[in-house]
Amino acid sequence: MATHQMQLDWIDEQAARMQSLVEQWAHVNSGSYNLGGLNTMHGMLMDEFAVLRGELRSIDLPPAKNIDWAGNESTTPVGDALSIRMRPDAPLRVLLCIHYDTVYSAGHPFQQVTRVDDNTIRGPGVTDAKGGLVILLHALQAFEQSEHASKVGWEVLINPDEEIGSPVSTPLLHEAAKRNHFGMLYEPTLEDGSFAGARRGSGYFTLVVRGRAAHVGRNPDQGRNAIHLLADVIRQVAELNESIPGATISVGKIEGGGAVNVVPDLAICRLNARVDDVETQKKVEAAVREIAETTGALEGFEFFFDGQFYSPPKPLTEQTLAIFDAMKACGEQLDVPVRWRDTGGVCDGNRLAAAGLPNVDTLGARGGGIHSDREFLALDSLVERAKLSALLLLRLADGSWRPDWID
Ligand SMILES: [Zn+2]
């Protein structure tokens, strides 16, 4: 059937099942640092995704590295990733990704799923991104029922560390990006139901100044005040907001010193930089390096910084537009509006794009209030968005849509 009605009807029949799966998963706390909860969630995903009959694999990840408030390198363990591959040698290959961690820690008061009205539930991660996980699963299940499925190979990558910037799963995303022709990511749609077009880039940096401690009363001359120097560095960083158009830089956290009658020998700050495009990103990187060089050269001080643009800017390319056009055609058949707009937020779509994979990254659930205790999910979006994804894959498989960058 040219319209793939059978598969779409099947998704309609799954509405209750999809809803109960989201509720089940949202009741398991899988905050990025809650290893126990992540393991439980990982096990549930392994069980559910087995239904796809692909090559299912759990992937151990090394701990994430960071700089602690003593200025030393420390590590934080993360959960395991999950990979499922089907027909890796098919001529058309699609990567489908989403994360299973959430921003809510095990101690966060927001842990329960509650019913708001007929079409709305409220709960931690219901939209970001447990709804997306359910949508991805059902879209693929429907797709696999089609006789055309053999034309398309797919790979699912589910990571445990996206909400902390995918520090450890980024290499997996990059490798998977190289094996596939385009990407489908299941982050929530924007609040008005739009898909994300271009995304700004985002970088996190930690700046560390070490000086020399001394008694403020007895021998202040021997001291090197790390806080005074860091204050000057922060002023220079803040001025980049004026000197580099298209960049937003904000120091968000600062710490240093101890007893006030001691010249402090350590001061640390952390900043987030957002940039419109790669050119701007390079300017910010160069400016930070230059500040580091001049500051590090001061007598009696040490200066170093750690960090990078973990999420490079994601421009709206011709290829992404081609995917949107194909989605529009699907949306017309399903009576679902397909429109997109730019956003300052970042996600793994930025990282896939940086690795050269065209992708649409907001194929997940409709809802809102994400990253807050107001997070809610529009239940009808589960079926709606699963159909949209399934139809896109089906139209790719039956030849109705052929991305022109695939030979
Ligand atoms: Zn997310």
Side-chain angles (χ1 to χ4, degrees):
M1 212 182 308
T3 57
H4 306 288
Q5 201 54 48
M6 239 173 66
Q7 288 77 30
L8 299 174
D9 289 347
W10 180 85
I11 294 175
D12 273 321
E13 291 159 17
Q14 304 308 308
R17 163 90 185 127
M18 293 175 84
Q19 183 183 328
S20 86
L21 209 49
V22 173
E23 290 178 359
Q24 247 178 61
W25 288 349
H27 271 130
V28 178
N29 178 283
S30 56
S32 310
Y33 299 113
N34 176 10
L35 271 197
L38 288 166
N39 285 341
T40 305
M41 187 65 206
H42 181 271
M44 292 169 98
L45 292 171
M46 291 286 279
D47 289 347
E48 290 296 335
F49 277 80
V51 72
L52 295 172
R53 299 174 184 281
E55 188 201 323
L56 182 65
R57 212 156 54 90
S58 171
I59 304 172
D60 260 358
L61 294 176
K65 290 197 176 98
N66 42 282
I67 302 289
D68 64 20
W69 287 110
N72 300 319
E73 196 170 274
S74 69
T75 57
T76 313
V78 301
D80 296 334
L82 213 107
S83 153
I84 312 148
R85 295 181 74 181
M86 180 68 106
R87 296 180 293 275
D89 302 319
L92 302 164
R93 295 180 300 279
V94 186
L95 175 64
L96 302 97
C97 303
I98 191 56
H99 59 94
Y100 72 95
D101 62 328
T102 69
V103 294
Y104 309 99
S105 66
H108 196 285
F110 188 43
Q111 302 288 346
Q112 292 298 313
V113 180
T114 51
R115 169 69 75 148
V116 177
D117 60 39
D118 272 0
N119 191 41
T120 316
I121 56 172
R122 180 176 154 255
V126 286
T127 299
D128 186 11
K130 287 169 180 173
L133 280 161
V134 169
I135 290 169
L136 187 169
L137 173 63
H138 287 78
L140 277 180
Q141 250 186 292
F143 174 70
E144 284 299 309
Q145 294 165 15
S146 163
E147 57 184 324
H148 300 287
S150 62
K151 300 278 195 323
V152 172
W154 50 256
E155 172 169 0
V156 172
L157 181 60
I158 303 176
N159 55 348
D161 59 343
E162 195 274 342
E163 294 293 6
I164 53 171
S166 304
V168 188
S169 62
T170 292
L172 294 182
L173 290 162
H174 284 178
E175 286 162 28
K178 303 230 150 35
R179 289 192 287 264
N180 292 283
H181 293 113
F182 69 93
M184 299 169 74
L185 237 91
Y186 288 82
E187 291 291 347
T189 60
L190 304 179
E191 286 226 13
D192 63 358
S194 303
F195 297 90
R199 288 181 182 271
R200 296 183 91 189
S202 171
Y204 286 92
F205 295 89
T206 298
L207 277 42
V208 180
V209 176
R210 287 189 199 281
R212 193 186 301 144
H215 192 291
V216 175
R218 284 175 182 234
N219 49 2
D221 299 349
Q222 288 170 21
R224 295 289 179 275
N225 192 312
I227 292 180
H228 289 183
L229 184 57
L230 184 65
D232 186 48
V233 167
I234 290 173
R235 182 192 52 77
Q236 294 177 53
V237 165
E239 281 171 6
L240 300 178
N241 283 301
E242 261 86 75
S243 61
I244 306 179
T248 309
I249 302 173
S250 175
V251 174
K253 182 103 179 159
I254 173 168
E255 199 164 298
V260 183
N261 60 355
V262 176
V263 175
D265 62 357
L266 178 65
I268 300 174
C269 75
R270 300 186 201 270
L271 64 88
N272 182 209
R274 305 268 166 161
V275 292
D276 286 348
D277 48 46
V278 175
E279 277 310 297
T280 312
Q281 175 186 326
K282 285 183 179 151
K283 284 182 195 163
V284 172
E285 287 166 338
V288 172
R289 270 198 304 274
E290 199 184 311
I291 292 171
E293 266 166 39
T294 45
T295 311
L298 295 172
E299 188 273 322
F301 288 100
E302 274 174 52
F303 180 89
F304 76 94
F305 73 94
D306 182 67
Q308 55 176 294
F309 279 87
Y310 296 101
S311 310
K314 181 186 177 193
L316 188 54
T317 62
E318 288 299 311
Q319 295 176 337
T320 315
L321 281 169
I323 306 173
F324 276 132
D325 281 340
M327 283 167 54
K328 252 191 153 155
C330 298
E332 272 156 30
Q333 181 181 329
L334 298 169
D335 209 15
V336 174
V338 173
R339 48 179 197 271
W340 54 92
R341 62 183 172 83
D342 298 348
T343 169
V346 298
C347 71
D348 284 332
N350 292 68
R351 293 175 262 279
L352 294 176
L357 188 73
N359 68 83
V360 170
D361 56 30
T362 33
L363 289 162
R366 247 186 311 110
I370 61 169
H371 294 202
S372 82
D373 63 5
R374 298 177 307 281
E375 178 168 358
F376 67 90
L377 164 70
L379 290 169
D380 60 352
S381 71
L382 297 174
V383 162
E384 174 194 296
R385 299 286 152 146
K387 283 170 148 181
L388 187 65
S389 278
L391 192 56
L392 186 71
L393 290 169
L394 290 162
R395 291 175 61 94
L396 177 71
D398 76 8
S400 316
W401 174 46
R402 177 90 188 180
D404 63 10
W405 60 95
I406 305 176
D407 333 304

